[in-house]
Every structure is written in C-alpha cells, then in structure tokens.
Amino acid sequence: MKRKVILAGVNVNSNQQENFKSSMEELSNLAEACDLEVAGALTQNVKHIHKGYYMGPGKVEELRMLIEQEDSELVVFDDELSPSQIRNLEEELKCEVIDRTTLILNIFASRAKTREAQLQVEMARLKYLLPRLIGTREDLGRQGGGSGLKNRGAGETKLELDRRKIEEKISKLSTELEQLTLQRKTQRKQRNKKDVPVAALVGYTNAGKSTLMNAMLEKYGDKDEKLVFEKDMLFATLETAVRRLELENNRVFLLTDTVGFIHKLPHHLVRAFRSTLEEVTEADLLIHVLDASDPNHEQHKLLTEKVLHEIGVKGIPMIYVYNKVDLTDMESPSVSNSRFYLSAKKRQGLEELTNKISTEILNDYSQQKMLIPYTDGEIVSYFNNNADVISTEYDEKGTILHVICKNSDAEKYSQYVIQE
C-alpha cells in the first residue's frame, strides 16, 4: 500500500505564479516517481519565507488539519528546508517532514544502477545530511545527566562521532570516484585518438532523450549495441550511455545520453555528477532535447542552459530538438534553422536530424582520388569500411578509388592521392 503524502509550497514572487504552479506539479510527479500517493496540497503566497516554519504559523495549523483529514503520515515541501525548520515542522505536524531535495535524492538512490552512479548519489546524500545532523535524533545534542563529570557532553561526543564517520565516508567515496573519473578520462582519450566525433543529448528530465537515443540506435547502430532504458517518468535513467552510430556512407560518430535536469536540482547532485557530465563539456555537438508537448518547455530550455553554463559548457555548437510533436498540433517532421520538430517515439524526423548532425560534426572530410597498388589491397578494404566510396576502377597499376574520407586519412595515405 502506498504511503499518503501532502505537498506544501510557498510562492515568494507573485509575478511568477505560473512557474510556481509548474514547480508544484513537478513536485507531485516526483512524489509519484517515489511511489507515493498524493492526497492533497497546500500553498501560500508570501513576501518572505518564515524563518522558523517555512510557512506562516496559520498555514502550518491548516496543514496539520489537512494531514489529519487525509490520514497522511508524510509532508513534502517544495523547497530545501533548514534543519531547524524540519524539526519545528515535525513537532507541530506530528508526522515526518522532508523537502524536495530529499525526494530527488531518494529517486536517484533507487534508480542508480552502475557503481559510479551509486557512489555519486551516496556522496550527494551524505553532503546533504552532514549539516543536518544536529537535531536529527533527540539525544544527539543533549548533555549527559547524573552527578559529576562522567557523562557530561555525551550527546555532543555522539554528534561529533557521527559527523566524523560521515566525513570519513565522504573521503572514501571521493577516492573511489576519482579512480572511476580517471578511467572515464582514459576512455575519452582513446576515443579522441580514434578521431571519432561525439554528439551529446542534453535536456530536461523526461524530454525523451533515451527514446531518441534508441530510435537512432535502431536506425544507425550496430546490432550488438545495447538499447538504453526508457520510460515515461522523471529520471528514468541516471547513467551516461555512449553508443557508436554508423551512417550509410560509413561516417561514424558517438552519441551520448546524459542524466536529465530538473527545476531546483540539488546542487549536491550537480557537483556529484560533475565527472559524468564532463562527457557533455568535451562533446563536439550538443543536441538539446525539449518536450514540445509540455507548456513549460521554454522555461526548461533556459534552466538546462543555465546548468550547462554552471558545469563549464562553452562554445559548443547546439541544435534544438522539439520532441513529442505527435502529442501537439505541430507539423512533424519539420525543420527551422537549428530547430527540429520530430517524434522519437513515432520514429519521425530522424533522417533530417541525422543530416544536420552529419553537417555539424562530420565535416572534416574531403573528396579524393587514389591509386592503390594491388599489393596494398588491405588499404582498399580500409577505405571500403571507413569511407564513402563513390566509385571503384581497376587499372594496370592498381585500384583507382574515388572516395569521401576523413582529412586525417587523406593525409595518412597521401602517397596514393592522384593530384588532378
């Protein structure tokens, strides 16, 4: 049986009513993603957040009555709460109180599959917990009772012990994560040596990045390439997936799927996933996927670009993919400058998008005419497998190839190039 939850939020900017409404709807989706049943919601418009209770005392009393009415045992607040606010609210409401950050951390913890993702989530959770140790249990901050000095300060000692344990665990996790980060950097260097360009999918959570990745894999991927997990829910995937795609003209690029962003994404998580998101900072092209059916997709666009800026993304070309147009009255597929309107689920618009990707990152090619001696037949095989062979002719001196190949390959095999 699902736990009943009441949602609570405060809007401090009356001019941002739509954004606040969107944030509360998103909080409801997060609760459902955590397998909670939303029994009700209470909001308040104020000029300032209440220092002690987040909401005004009158609203807190109203919230207590709603909890009793709905027989709820949990309240989730839309903003990050301070330790004292959580303690005060739990005393007044007589039930468990968590905030949006805790909810997101719980979702990430349940969805993390790889060792790296699990370490990143645990690191974020511990860093969030560390300043909240005081007051998390009734006995932590109390002085010991009894006569003399024997038990004096026992509570503080317990608190310091817990703090030290968490700090030691964070240090241990950091060391393990650094090793995994080095492995990831080594993998990137190997890919760079092979001169394979990278396109990275970025965007808001549940915009359809994984669906687009799988659609591209079905069309251009190797049969051995594994599809990524996709589902219509927030944060369906946390792991960064890299897949190799080969177009019909033998041009190859790597497509990267990354963790999605969300409104009020906890900064601890952004920091924890920074090593994973480095895949984005070193991409040759960013494919910004937006949910065209979501009325707030333009706000999601701005928020994603803000997070990208925070993690150091600069000067990388970006194209915009408005996905899920099958759920709107927009024409699909259609193209307008660097904006693509398509449906990954319906497999519509993939060729148009691929042509744009090819233009953006597969432009380091040139057309060459080569005469390759019959004794060097392996080079003919190489170009057949790694270039777009326009025509093949046979001469008494060898094989004449008209190819569109990488400039690096043209330079490597320049002794075979026929100057016209």
Side-chain angles (χ1 to χ4, degrees):
M1 188 175 176
K2 291 184 178 180
R3 293 180 72 191
K4 283 188 176 183
V5 62
I6 302 294
L7 309 180
V10 164
N11 182 23
V12 293
N13 190 340
S14 57
N15 297 325
Q16 298 290 327
Q17 193 64 39
E18 280 302 313
N19 288 350
F20 175 64
K21 182 182 176 184
S22 171
S23 183
M24 289 299 295
E25 287 174 357
E26 200 170 74
L27 186 66
S28 178
N29 291 334
L30 287 167
E32 289 172 7
C34 237
D35 204 30
L36 298 169
E37 180 187 340
V38 178
L42 190 69
T43 61
Q44 182 180 27
N45 292 317
V46 295
K47 291 184 178 179
H48 304 286
I49 294 289
H50 192 281
K51 194 172 181 180
Y53 292 98
Y54 175 72
M55 291 182 137
K59 275 289 177 182
V60 173
E61 177 59 23
E62 195 177 329
L63 183 58
R64 188 187 63 76
M65 292 170 64
L66 180 60
I67 291 166
E68 289 181 1
Q69 178 186 318
E70 298 297 337
D71 193 26
S72 174
E73 54 188 46
L74 176 66
V75 181
V76 181
F77 285 81
D78 192 41
D79 289 295
E80 193 167 297
L81 300 175
S82 69
S84 61
Q85 285 172 336
I86 293 174
R87 185 170 61 249
N88 294 340
L89 285 165
E90 286 187 337
E91 286 177 1
E92 292 294 324
L93 301 175
K94 309 301 180 190
C95 74
E96 185 182 354
V97 170
I98 64 172
D99 56 21
R100 184 187 183 99
T101 299
T102 303
L103 201 59
I104 293 175
L105 285 169
N106 286 342
I107 293 171
F108 271 58
S110 66
R111 304 274 166 79
K113 297 292 185 290
T114 66
R115 179 60 180 163
E116 185 176 17
Q118 290 166 351
L119 289 172
Q120 289 165 331
V121 174
E122 180 64 5
M123 172 94 81
R125 189 187 71 82
L126 291 173
K127 286 186 175 179
Y128 173 76
L129 178 64
L130 193 58
R132 288 166 170 75
L133 279 179
I134 299 174
T136 53
R137 292 197 302 274
E138 286 185 4
D139 63 325
L140 278 183
R142 291 183 178 174
Q143 295 287 339
S147 59
L149 300 174
K150 185 177 180 182
N151 292 322
R152 187 171 296 173
E156 286 184 291
T157 304
K158 173 65 176 167
L159 176 62
E160 289 303 317
L161 183 63
D162 285 353
R163 189 190 302 277
R164 188 162 60 251
K165 283 181 179 177
I166 289 179
E167 287 173 344
E168 286 172 356
K169 194 165 185 181
I170 288 174
S171 177
K172 186 178 178 182
L173 290 173
S174 297
T175 302
E176 194 171 345
L177 267 173
E178 282 173 12
Q179 292 172 347
L180 290 173
T181 301
L182 285 173
Q183 290 176 16
R184 187 181 288 279
K185 284 182 178 177
T186 302
Q187 291 169 352
R188 276 203 300 269
K189 282 181 181 178
Q190 289 173 345
R191 292 202 299 265
N192 291 339
K193 281 181 183 178
K194 293 178 181 177
D195 201 25
V196 181
V198 178
L201 296 166
V202 297
Y204 214 71
T205 181
N206 209 31
K209 297 185 298 299
S210 297
T211 304
L212 181 56
M213 164 77 97
N214 285 339
M216 297 286 281
L217 274 172
E218 285 176 8
K219 192 170 180 67
Y220 304 109
D222 189 281
K223 66 180 187 308
D224 295 327
E225 288 284 16
K226 187 179 177 183
L227 297 179
V228 297
F229 178 73
E230 60 175 274
K231 192 172 180 180
D232 184 17
M233 64 181 181
L234 301 183
F235 300 116
T237 53
L238 301 182
E239 284 74 37
T240 296
V242 182
R243 299 290 185 269
R244 183 180 185 272
L245 301 182
E246 183 174 340
L247 306 185
E248 293 170 356
N249 54 15
N250 286 328
R251 299 188 189 184
V252 174
F253 69 96
L254 297 177
L255 187 62
T256 303
D257 186 19
T258 59
V259 63
F261 302 125
I262 196 169
H263 185 53
K264 301 176 185 175
L265 184 66
H267 64 278
H268 293 307
L269 275 176
V270 175
R271 285 181 188 169
F273 277 78
R274 186 176 290 274
S275 62
T276 305
L277 293 170
E278 281 178 5
E279 294 283 350
V280 176
T281 65
E282 298 189 18
D284 300 288
L285 174 69
L286 299 182
I287 303 169
H288 189 159
V289 184
L290 297 140
D291 179 356
S293 67
D294 191 319
N296 300 300
H297 65 258
E298 286 302 316
Q299 288 98 314
H300 296 170
K301 173 174 171 282
L302 294 174
L303 184 138
T304 298
E305 290 176 348
K306 180 184 175 185
V307 177
L308 289 173
H309 178 74
E310 287 173 358
I311 63 173
V313 173
K314 293 179 182 177
I316 302 175
M318 183 183 292
I319 56 179
Y320 297 91
V321 172
Y322 288 78
N323 188 28
K324 305 187 186 181
V325 292
D326 55 306
L327 303 178
T328 74
D329 55 5
M330 296 180 186
E331 184 183 344
S332 171
S334 62
V335 182
S336 175
N337 296 324
S338 287
R339 294 181 175 222
F340 292 79
Y341 299 85
L342 54 78
S343 170
K345 187 177 182 180
K346 300 283 186 181
R347 304 319 194 232
Q348 297 172 347
L350 299 182
E351 288 187 13
E352 291 84 350
L353 175 61
T354 305
N355 289 337
K356 180 63 175 177
I357 294 171
S358 181
T359 302
E360 289 287 338
I361 64 174
L362 299 174
N363 53 5
D364 189 28
Y365 285 74
S366 59
Q367 187 167 323
Q368 304 290 343
K369 183 179 179 181
M370 296 184 173
L371 173 59
I372 301 171
Y374 291 120
T375 53
D376 295 336
E378 72 279 359
I379 297 173
V380 175
S381 297
Y382 174 82
F383 280 109
N384 279 321
N385 292 326
N386 296 282
D388 185 7
V389 178
I390 301 169
S391 67
T392 305
E393 301 171 28
Y394 299 99
D395 183 83
E396 59 182 23
K397 295 180 179 179
T399 305
I400 299 173
L401 294 182
H402 285 82
V403 300
I404 297 176
C405 65
K406 292 178 186 176
N407 290 334
S408 56
D409 281 342
E411 187 177 340
K412 182 178 180 181
Y413 299 105
S414 59
Q415 70 267 35
Y416 302 115
V417 173
I418 300 173
Q419 301 295 337
E420 295 182 312

